[in-house]
């Protein structure tokens, strides 16, 4: 892996996305619209203050997972990856380039979503909004990394969607959105404690409510980052040149 090849891959991906307004809208606008819809539904209650942090974790995570996995899979199906890897470029350069490109988009997406949730939808934040931004970025990068991992095993775009029950739905169900994890059956509670989205929801909720100290939040950010690194490494090791 070399920085030059990684940066060149990231630049190529960003150029492709710049020419695709629908993908740009999906990445940058849709998460905020969904958060706004939830806030509108619970406009006359205090429910949004309770579930708003979880929505801020959930929607960007899902969008980044879908867009990243499908975009990476198309590189394989079109033969682009096979041509790139025939040059002096390794799988690590490709995966890290994609991670960097979508990571930059995740930062922009997070800035829009956090700003919209707090300043437009009225989500109250007890801790620093900068800390909220950091947690939300880690959450969006998690969706990117898991999307790259899923694309390494899928053969078609439809299979990417089929992987959502494996990579996404269990994290939603066991993340504490519907029921606090300490009230789940013991086995499910333990599984939920090891899933990264659970920690993103915990950290965002802690920033919003001020119920936990800063060390609690940073430990959860570190846990999410470990998942991101593992997903990127496994994705680069299992990436195939071309999908049959």
């Amino acid at each position: 892996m070399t920085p030059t090849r990684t940066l060149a891959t990231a630049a190529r991906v960003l150029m492709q996305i710049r020419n695709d307004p629908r993908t740009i809208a999906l990445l940058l606008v849709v998460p905020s619209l969904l958060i706004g819809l939830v806030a509108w539904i619970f406009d006359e209650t205090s429910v949004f203050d309770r579930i708003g942090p979880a929505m801020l974790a959930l929607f960007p995570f899902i969008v980044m997972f879908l867009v990243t996995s499908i975009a990476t899979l198309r590189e394989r199906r079109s033969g682009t990856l096979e041509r790139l890897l025939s040059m002096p470029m390794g799988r690590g350069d490709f995966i890290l380039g994609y991670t960097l490109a979508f990571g930059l988009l995740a930062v922009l997406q997070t800035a829009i979503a956090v700003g919209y949730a707090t300043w437009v939808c009225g989500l109250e934040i007890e801790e620093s909004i900068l800390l909220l931004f950091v947690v939300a970025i880690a959450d969006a990068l998690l969706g990117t990394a898991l999307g790259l991992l899923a694309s390494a095993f899928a053969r078609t775009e439809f299979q990417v969607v089929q992987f959502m029950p494996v990579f996404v739905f269990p994290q939603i169900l066991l993340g504490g959105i519907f029921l606090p994890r300490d009230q789940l059956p013991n086995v499910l509670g333990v599984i939920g404690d090891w899933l990264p989205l659970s920690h993103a929801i915990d950290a965002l909720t802690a920033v919003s409510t001020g119920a936990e100290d800063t060390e609690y939040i940073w430990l959860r950010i570190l846990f999410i980052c470990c998942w991101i690194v593992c997903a990127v490494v496994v994705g680069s090791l299992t990436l195939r040149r071309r999908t049959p």
Side-chain angles (χ1 to χ4, degrees):
M1 293 184 293
T2 62
T4 303
R5 295 167 188 163
T6 299
L7 292 174
T9 301
R12 182 179 59 81
V13 173
L14 291 174
M15 287 290 292
Q16 290 177 342
I17 294 175
R18 189 184 68 173
N19 297 323
D20 188 351
R22 289 175 296 182
T23 299
I24 293 174
L26 179 62
L27 283 170
L28 304 183
V29 179
V30 170
S32 295
L33 290 180
L34 293 174
I35 292 170
L37 178 61
V38 174
W40 193 5
I41 292 172
F42 299 106
D43 184 44
E44 302 298 327
T45 69
S46 60
V47 174
F48 182 68
D49 290 332
R50 179 172 58 84
I51 68 172
M55 299 301 101
L56 194 56
L58 182 60
F59 294 135
F61 171 81
I62 293 175
V63 169
M64 293 305 300
F65 175 88
L66 283 174
V67 173
T68 304
S69 56
I70 291 174
T72 310
L73 181 62
R74 285 178 178 173
E75 295 278 64
R76 291 213 325 268
R77 288 179 58 83
S78 65
T80 301
L81 176 58
E82 187 175 25
R83 292 192 296 271
L84 289 173
L85 294 182
S86 66
M87 303 166 61
M89 175 181 289
R91 290 180 172 85
D93 295 312
F94 179 83
I95 290 293
L96 287 179
Y98 257 77
T99 303
L100 179 59
F102 282 100
L104 293 174
L105 292 171
V107 171
L108 185 56
Q109 178 198 71
T110 300
I112 296 172
V114 168
Y116 189 81
T118 54
W119 297 324
V120 179
C121 299
L123 181 64
E124 296 184 2
I125 304 299
E126 296 296 332
E127 298 287 347
S128 167
I129 193 170
L130 180 60
L131 188 56
L132 181 74
F133 185 63
V134 172
V135 179
I137 288 177
D139 172 68
L141 289 175
L142 174 66
T144 298
L146 292 181
L148 289 169
L149 179 60
S151 69
F153 297 98
R155 293 189 176 186
T156 65
E157 287 85 350
F158 180 65
Q159 285 188 356
V160 168
V161 178
Q162 289 177 317
F163 275 129
M164 289 192 68
V166 177
F167 286 88
V168 177
F169 291 168
Q171 300 196 62
I172 297 174
L173 295 174
L174 304 179
I177 298 176
F178 302 105
L179 188 70
R181 292 199 306 281
D182 57 7
Q183 297 180 25
L184 292 172
N186 291 335
V187 174
L188 297 181
V190 171
I191 295 174
D193 288 340
W194 282 96
L195 297 177
L197 186 61
S198 300
H199 290 261
I201 293 171
D202 288 347
L204 288 168
T205 302
V207 174
S208 177
T209 62
E212 303 289 347
D213 57 19
T214 305
E215 182 180 359
Y216 172 92
I217 298 169
W218 279 108
L219 282 175
R220 273 139 189 82
I221 294 174
L222 178 61
F223 184 86
I224 296 169
C225 290
C226 290
W227 265 87
I228 293 171
V229 172
C230 290
V232 170
V233 171
V234 174
S236 64
L237 293 175
T238 56
L239 184 67
R240 290 170 292 179
R241 288 175 174 263
R242 187 180 179 92
T243 298

